[in-house]
Amino acid sequence: MDNLSAALTILSAMITPAILIMASGSLILTTSQRLSRSMERVRKLAEQYSELIEKGELTADDLGEKSFLLELLLRATRRCRLLQRAMTSLYLTLGVFVATSIAIALFDVLNLPFAWAITLLSLLGAGLLFYASLLLIVESRIALQAVDREMDWVMRVNK
């Protein structure tokens, strides 16, 4: 019975990192989708910009549109960079939480007195998750600003 109790204690301790692993995986999935959409947006804006440049002689309206497209392209590119950094951070987070889960089991089975390492790994994972969350917040704000800017442009062009 003692072995079963010890095994259940180890498994119970490993549950928290497992939940954080699932949460990190979910964020990786959604962030990956956001990155894909943002990359598509960059490609579309670059295509529109190239078409405008190939037009040859540009009118005043064309120059305004060129400037506007460049601004949107720069915002979309910044979003892609932020999302890529968030993805890197989330993958690191995932790895750290997996390492935490393995460390919990190994340290207990091998009776190693390094509980501080588990705490350190947990804090590192939480810190990386927090950093990724901040990057995603900044990226969301840039996306919203771009949408606001596009709506302003549409309203101004249609007047």
Side-chain angles (χ1 to χ4, degrees):
M1 187 68 163
D2 230 6
N3 286 340
L4 178 62
S5 178
L8 290 175
T9 300
I10 294 169
L11 288 174
S12 295
M14 292 173 70
I15 295 271
T16 301
I19 291 169
L20 292 169
I21 288 167
M22 290 183 346
S24 299
S26 178
L27 276 172
I28 287 169
L29 181 63
T30 58
T31 303
S32 177
Q33 290 170 343
R34 285 165 72 172
L35 180 58
S36 292
R37 287 186 187 133
S38 189
M39 288 171 61
E40 283 300 316
R41 181 74 174 135
V42 167
R43 287 184 187 113
K44 184 176 180 176
L45 288 169
E47 184 180 301
Q48 288 176 307
Y49 187 81
S50 292
E51 287 173 4
L52 188 63
I53 296 298
E54 289 173 2
K55 230 174 136 176
E57 195 172 313
L58 301 178
T59 66
D61 288 341
D62 290 339
L63 290 174
E65 185 178 356
K66 177 185 167 193
S67 175
F68 177 66
L69 286 172
L70 186 59
E71 177 189 340
L72 291 179
L73 191 55
L74 291 173
R75 285 179 196 256
T77 302
R78 184 161 182 242
R79 285 184 62 204
C80 285
R81 288 187 182 123
L82 284 169
L83 287 165
Q84 193 281 324
R85 284 200 327 234
M87 288 288 292
T88 300
S89 180
L90 288 169
Y91 279 121
L92 288 170
T93 300
L94 182 65
V96 169
F97 285 141
V98 168
T100 302
S101 188
I102 292 169
I104 288 169
L106 284 177
F107 289 2
D108 195 60
V109 168
L110 299 175
N111 207 16
L112 297 174
F114 299 117
W116 60 268
I118 294 169
T119 304
L120 184 65
L121 282 171
S122 299
L123 287 173
L124 178 61
L128 287 167
L129 191 57
F130 180 69
Y131 175 67
S133 298
L134 291 176
L135 290 173
L136 292 172
I137 289 168
V138 171
E139 183 273 334
S140 295
R141 293 181 57 90
I142 292 170
L144 181 61
Q145 290 169 353
V147 169
D148 286 345
R149 184 73 174 92
E150 286 182 66
M151 289 307 300
D152 290 345
W153 175 263
V154 169
M155 297 303 283
R156 193 171 39 237
V157 168
N158 287 323
K159 279 189 177 181

